[in-house]
Amino acid sequence: MIVAPEMPAGWQHRETSVNGIRLHYVEAGSGPLVVLLHGFPEFWYSWRHQIPALAAAGFRVLAPDLRGYNLSDKPPGVSAYRVEVLLEDVAGLIHRVGEEKASIAGHDWGGVLVWFFAMRHPEMVDRLIILNAPHPAAYRRELWSWTQLRKSWYVFLFQVPGLAELLIGAGDYDLVGRMLRRQPVHREAFSPEDVRHYKHALARPGALTAALNYYRAMGNPMHRSERETVPITAPTLLLWGERDSFLSIRLTEGLNAWVPNLRVVRFPDVSHWIQNDAPERVNRSMIDFLRGAPLQ
């Protein structure tokens, strides 16, 4: 039997009702609010290195399981995972914990949500941190380039109901294990126990299809016209592992028109799983930025 990850002292499992669903999250620390949004195929545990560092630095940290993942509700149907719906989960969580705004960080799909959240709810944002997640304008620009297309092949596979679930779930989610253990540059990024936790979360009833529904519902938001992609004025830090197997480094370029208050920090020796592959460097960058270090 696989047990849930152990919780250090001072961390709390919590649940709240937002946007018509039950959302699970982990909370630690006190001070200005920082919300951490995970990606695919992760859950709150992907921030296990950042939660204690941010809490110790004087921040109140919330790391939710996004809808469909781990202990949060898993409503049926692709439409339940449209970006507009997911953004209201985040807004509802901030309000439910008694705050009007927050700094928000996101990795992978969580980072995509951060970009859109800043466009939809600019009044709720202090500072933004995105880790290896494409801005929609850059994604539109690069998607059909050969460099990005050969990295994004899996997105098209994920559109096929049943087949994607079969391939990912085969052999006790071996594909997930290979993705987490073989792609990071630093092999200690994911221990065998870590991988078991990820597999266990994704194997919960309905979780894999829900996670894939993020991709199945994303078409229109990620391909919005430029006039619907409004500039983001909040101070923004983009952290990028250059050895990303899924996203081209070109996605970090040409963003000034859309994010004028942006700093990009690239890590040449780090993979897509940046906060696990280089946790100390990522933590230092996040804390300095959240404390108000000027953009350079």
Side-chain angles (χ1 to χ4, degrees):
M1 178 180 179
I2 299 176
V3 298
E6 292 185 7
M7 295 285 290
W11 298 22
Q12 300 292 327
H13 280 291
R14 300 193 187 280
E15 292 183 352
T16 189
S17 295
V18 298
N19 199 23
I21 65 164
R22 178 182 53 86
L23 203 66
H24 168 264
Y25 63 97
V26 167
E27 181 174 4
S30 60
L33 181 62
V34 180
V35 179
L36 306 176
L37 306 180
H38 66 80
F40 175 91
E42 303 170 293
F43 63 114
W44 71 262
Y45 187 67
S46 69
W47 299 105
R48 61 194 174 277
H49 302 297
Q50 286 67 51
I51 294 170
L54 291 170
F59 296 96
R60 180 188 185 189
V61 185
L62 304 185
D65 291 329
L66 295 174
R67 72 162 56 200
Y69 282 91
N70 195 36
L71 298 176
S72 290
D73 279 350
K74 302 162 183 61
V78 172
S79 63
Y81 300 89
R82 291 183 295 110
V83 165
E84 291 82 359
V85 176
L86 301 170
L87 298 183
E88 297 315 304
D89 291 352
V90 179
L93 177 60
I94 293 170
H95 287 144
R96 289 289 286 180
V97 300
E99 301 288 348
E100 294 299 320
K101 60 194 311 184
S103 293
I104 309 177
H107 170 248
D108 186 75
W109 248 107
V112 172
L113 295 182
V114 172
W115 290 123
F116 281 115
F117 190 86
M119 288 186 272
R120 188 180 182 95
H121 293 292
E123 76 288 352
M124 295 186 67
V125 169
D126 281 324
R127 291 189 162 224
L128 307 173
I129 304 175
I130 293 91
L131 298 85
N132 281 70
H135 185 281
Y139 190 78
R140 282 195 306 267
R141 185 190 69 215
E142 298 297 328
L143 177 59
W144 298 108
S145 69
W146 172 244
T147 300
Q148 184 55 50
L149 195 59
R150 66 185 177 85
K151 290 175 175 281
S152 296
W153 65 269
Y154 65 94
V155 174
F156 301 98
L157 170 65
F158 286 0
Q159 305 302 314
V160 185
L163 177 61
E165 284 87 340
L166 180 65
L167 292 175
I168 295 172
D172 187 29
Y173 295 84
D174 284 347
L175 181 62
V176 174
R178 292 196 302 271
M179 186 166 55
L180 296 176
R181 291 284 285 165
R182 296 181 183 178
Q183 291 184 359
V185 176
H186 304 95
R187 298 307 178 190
E188 69 277 11
F190 297 99
S191 70
E193 183 181 8
D194 293 334
V195 172
R196 286 194 292 270
H197 290 318
Y198 282 94
K199 289 183 177 182
H200 181 57
L202 202 59
R204 292 182 182 276
L208 177 55
T209 293
L212 291 168
N213 280 343
Y214 280 63
Y215 292 90
R216 293 165 182 166
M218 82 172 181
N220 288 336
M222 289 303 287
H223 294 90
R224 283 174 172 150
S225 65
E226 289 193 6
R227 68 174 180 273
E228 294 177 279
T229 306
V230 299
I232 294 169
T233 58
T236 303
L237 177 65
L238 176 59
L239 302 179
W240 200 274
E242 292 188 6
R243 293 176 65 175
D244 192 317
S245 299
F246 311 109
L247 299 169
S248 167
I249 188 64
R250 287 177 55 85
L251 291 165
T252 67
E253 301 168 357
L255 295 176
N256 289 343
W258 302 111
V259 197
N261 205 4
L262 172 68
R263 181 185 180 193
V264 180
V265 178
R266 299 180 179 90
F267 298 79
D269 62 334
V270 176
S271 72
H272 177 76
W273 313 104
I274 180 171
Q275 74 267 41
N276 297 293
D277 219 357
E280 292 183 0
R281 284 181 282 167
V282 167
N283 292 352
R284 185 165 57 250
S285 295
M286 292 179 68
I287 291 168
D288 288 348
F289 177 71
L290 290 169
R291 284 175 168 170
L295 298 173
Q296 299 175 357

